[in-house]
Amino acid sequence: MASSSSSSKTGLKKMLTLKSSDGDEFELEESIVIQCQTIKHMVEDGFSLIPLQNVDTKTLTKIIEYMKKHAEKTESNKEEIKNFNKEFVKGSFDDQFELVSAANYLHINGLMDLLCQSIADRINNKSVRAVREIFNISNDYTPDEEEKVRDEHKWAHEGGEFDESLD
Amino acid sequence: MMAPNKGIKHSCQTLPPDLLSNLPNDALDCILVRLPLREAVRTSILSKKWRYTWCRLPEVTLDETLWKTPDDTGPVTKFTLSISILVGCPNVDNLIYFLSRDAIQDLVLRLPKPEDNLYKLPSSLFTCLQLRRLTLESSVRFLCLKNIPLLAKISLMDDEGRCDIVKFFQSLSTIEHLHLEYMDQLKTYQQGFPLILTVSNIVPYAFFLCFLDEVLCALCLIRSFPYLQYLKIEIIDVNYEDIPALECLEVEHFSDVTFNHLREVRLIMGTGSKPEMQLIKLLLAKSPVLVRMLIEAGMFEESATVQMLVEFLTIDALAVCSKHQW
């Protein structure tokens, strides 16, 4: 594996420290952390203590949990990872959106895929009313304006049964 | 694992206002890109902030959800794809493949100008068994239509002029209706325009040529289609000093050609220059069954038109129906 090449040379696993915006420090193996593109670039620039000013401890803990699990990924534990992912996106909205922002900032592509897909699934085929309610989006269109926007892309809003449930 | 979310589901109180809308743009794009296009478009009526969010989509995926309604699960027979802002053509190949499996009959591709690489149409296009009409407004590298058995009408507009026109003509077999526009590269084939197009297997009864800026080009092409029934030529920017064209347009040069099927001609004139006049004369002389010739003024003045018409009416006894428009 590519990630083991540096450690096999030294015989020691290279460690990195991540520091959350709350000041908490987490020591991790480099091979785990390089899933995150932002950190990978910093490591390449020679950093070993990485301050993450946009990520609080709670979110960073979750992200580390994700990265550790995904660093274990092999051909044989696909099912396990799948179940892990399923559980991972079950958090509250607050947590999920924190995670999206952090994953976006840190450029963890796999996590970004997972979270965005989960949010997209909650929007897909839902009625506009349901989406507004689920995500607490307040409608600031006047009825006339809304009608006008609807008319702009009539084809998209017509001809289908949309799901009114708030799941 | 996660702390349970306090037993309260989606209650407004647990949510700071509108976390979703407040995500950074690139994160929102990541979410929208995972929705079918129709779903992404529907987000425009969520709130003002969402109105144009979907327009930023960096990738567009089109699938059957776009046009399928519960009542109508029939195949897509007509499809128009018009893209003007994308630099590349991502997913167009997949789309064409998708349509080719279906019974696509009428396909319009309006693709953006390529920056460097010419768009290479996927091979699936060339095997659309049901395709009858193809409109291509794009600069493409290669067009081979010989395996599209039903193709009857083709419009080609290639102002970059990089399509291999010889190969293109060679591949036409069942074509009935040909429309060429902005085909600058036709100029390259002036004198030696390959009459490889053996005439016998091409029977276009309607043939449009637009904006050819050399009458000669028009002529070389017309020579290749002796079974032509309807012809429309729009000429712009004629070179007055086009001496070779003048010679070439002499009736004697066409002793071997007769447009025995040409019934109707519509000419949109450029400047009323000599080569254009020659072309008209030639068409009149070589088209025994011509019933109608419509001449429309392009850029030249009324007096010139009238003069021109007088000239025609004296040179030929053919029934010439002429009309000019301004």
Side-chain angles (χ1 to χ4, degrees):
Chain A
M1 253 168 48
S3 59
S4 63
S5 60
S6 58
S7 51
S8 62
K9 273 179 208 159
T10 58
L12 275 170
K13 285 179 176 166
K14 197 176 166 193
M15 302 301 281
L16 289 175
T17 307
L18 306 185
K19 192 173 170 182
S20 76
S21 61
D22 307 315
D24 293 314
E25 293 188 0
F26 299 83
E27 199 177 38
L28 290 158
E29 285 173 33
E30 183 188 294
S31 60
I32 292 174
V33 182
I34 54 169
Q35 290 176 64
C36 159
Q37 293 297 316
T38 307
I39 297 178
K40 192 178 169 201
H41 292 142
M42 292 179 80
V43 171
E44 283 162 4
D45 289 341
F47 288 87
S48 59
L49 172 66
I50 295 161
L52 301 170
Q53 278 144 6
N54 297 339
V55 188
D56 63 20
T57 298
K58 190 178 170 196
T59 308
L60 188 56
T61 312
K62 285 287 285 180
I63 286 179
I64 291 169
E65 181 190 336
Y66 172 90
M67 289 196 295
K68 275 186 173 163
K69 192 71 195 176
H70 279 255
E72 295 167 9
K73 195 153 69 180
T74 61
E75 277 303 303
S76 55
N77 68 354
K78 277 185 179 161
E79 198 59 29
E80 194 188 328
I81 299 275
K82 214 170 133 189
N83 290 332
F84 170 86
N85 284 348
K86 226 167 156 181
E87 287 299 315
F88 194 84
V89 294
K90 278 186 179 168
S92 73
F93 267 137
D94 291 36
D95 297 339
Q96 278 216 37
F97 285 114
E98 279 297 325
L99 280 169
V100 174
S101 298
N104 189 43
Y105 162 69
L106 293 169
H107 289 104
I108 309 172
N109 297 335
L111 181 55
M112 206 52 193
D113 284 344
L114 177 64
L115 294 165
C116 291
Q117 189 61 57
S118 151
I119 297 169
D121 289 346
R122 306 199 60 172
I123 299 174
N124 198 6
N125 212 35
K126 284 275 177 11
S127 73
V128 171
R129 197 191 58 80
V131 176
R132 282 186 188 135
E133 195 153 331
I134 292 169
F135 295 100
N136 204 28
I137 298 167
S138 53
N139 177 15
D140 53 0
Y141 286 124
T142 65
D144 280 354
E145 284 169 342
E146 187 175 330
E147 203 46 48
K148 204 180 134 213
V149 179
R150 193 181 290 269
D151 278 349
E152 275 173 13
H153 303 288
K154 242 188 165 122
W155 61 273
H157 304 289
E158 284 175 350
E161 289 288 306
F162 299 116
D163 184 0
E164 292 285 347
S165 71
L166 305 181
D167 303 331
Chain B
M1 262 314 98
M2 237 5 263
N5 53 3
K6 295 155 198 145
I8 305 164
K9 264 197 173 177
H10 319 310
S11 153
C12 295
Q13 288 156 343
T14 63
L15 286 174
D18 208 355
L19 286 170
L20 180 62
S21 309
N22 290 317
L23 282 175
N25 283 348
D26 46 349
L28 268 182
D29 294 347
C30 274
I31 294 168
L32 288 186
V33 100
R34 284 167 176 78
L35 286 168
L37 182 64
R38 177 191 166 108
E39 292 294 312
V41 174
R42 284 180 56 232
T43 62
S44 60
I45 51 173
L46 287 173
S47 73
K48 284 181 184 168
K49 197 166 179 179
W50 283 88
R51 180 161 180 184
Y52 297 111
T53 304
W54 72 272
C55 301
R56 279 202 317 260
L57 274 179
E59 263 178 51
V60 175
T61 304
L62 303 173
D63 62 18
E64 70 280 4
T65 60
L66 205 61
W67 49 76
K68 269 189 184 156
T69 60
D71 308 314
D72 174 22
T73 51
V76 182
T77 57
K78 170 156 188 180
F79 191 87
T80 301
L81 179 68
S82 185
I83 303 174
S84 58
I85 44 167
L86 289 183
V87 178
C89 306
N91 293 337
V92 173
D93 288 11
N94 288 343
L95 177 68
I96 291 174
Y97 173 69
F98 176 83
L99 294 167
S100 70
R101 289 183 315 158
D102 237 327
I104 186 79
Q105 293 175 9
D106 192 344
L107 181 64
V108 181
L109 292 175
R110 219 168 272 136
L111 301 176
K113 279 187 190 166
E115 293 292 315
D116 311 305
N117 295 321
L118 285 187
Y119 179 54
K120 190 168 177 290
L121 290 163
S123 56
S124 50
L125 174 70
F126 303 130
T127 54
C128 290
L129 295 178
Q130 302 296 319
L131 191 64
R132 295 190 53 80
R133 290 171 296 274
L134 175 66
T135 302
L136 201 57
E137 291 178 21
S138 159
S139 209
V140 294
R141 189 183 297 148
F142 178 66
L143 262 183
C144 179
L145 308 169
K146 63 183 171 212
N147 294 323
I148 310 181
L150 298 177
L151 190 66
K153 178 173 178 177
I154 177 158
S155 291
L156 191 61
M157 191 172 136
D158 178 8
D159 55 352
E160 295 283 299
R162 289 190 276 188
C163 175
D164 187 335
I165 203 72
V166 181
K167 283 201 174 124
F168 166 67
F169 279 120
Q170 280 174 322
S171 73
L172 298 174
S173 58
T174 55
I175 207 80
E176 292 173 350
H177 194 139
L178 179 66
H179 177 133
L180 300 172
E181 205 166 322
Y182 286 117
M183 296 290 283
D184 266 0
Q185 73 271 45
L186 290 175
K187 273 188 287 189
T188 345
Y189 297 102
Q190 286 196 11
Q191 298 290 348
F193 185 80
L195 295 173
I196 338 165
L197 278 192
T198 25
V199 262
S200 52
N201 62 4
I202 295 189
V203 193
Y205 57 75
F207 179 46
F208 295 89
L209 277 163
C210 290
F211 300 109
L212 287 183
D213 58 358
E214 304 274 358
V215 169
L216 193 56
C217 282
L219 199 69
C220 291
L221 276 170
I222 301 161
R223 276 183 77 120
S224 309
F225 298 97
Y227 292 92
L228 214 56
Q229 292 177 24
Y230 180 84
L231 172 69
K232 175 183 165 186
I233 303 183
E234 182 165 352
I235 300 164
I236 53 165
D237 189 26
V238 172
N239 182 359
Y240 284 100
E241 306 302 318
D242 205 348
I243 306 303
L246 278 174
E247 284 168 5
C248 199
L249 283 163
E250 295 295 338
V251 176
E252 303 83 73
H253 284 88
F254 283 78
S255 55
D256 56 333
V257 181
T258 322
F259 303 115
N260 280 323
H261 302 267
L262 193 61
R263 299 176 57 81
E264 190 171 334
V265 175
R266 185 170 166 211
L267 283 165
I268 299 163
M269 303 296 283
T271 50
S273 66
K274 277 198 168 173
E276 291 175 84
M277 307 283 268
Q278 292 266 40
L279 177 67
I280 296 171
K281 283 181 194 170
L282 183 76
L283 288 169
L284 290 171
K286 288 290 184 177
S287 314
V289 297
L290 190 71
V291 279
R292 189 160 186 254
M293 181 181 271
L294 180 66
I295 299 169
E296 290 177 30
M299 297 181 241
F300 56 91
E301 291 179 5
E302 187 175 359
S303 58
T305 325
V306 174
Q307 180 59 46
M308 193 177 78
L309 292 175
V310 168
E311 200 179 322
F312 285 136
L313 293 170
T314 55
I315 57 161
D316 213 288
L318 272 173
V320 180
C321 166
S322 40
K323 179 184 151 187
H324 35 264
Q325 294 180 347
W326 280 273

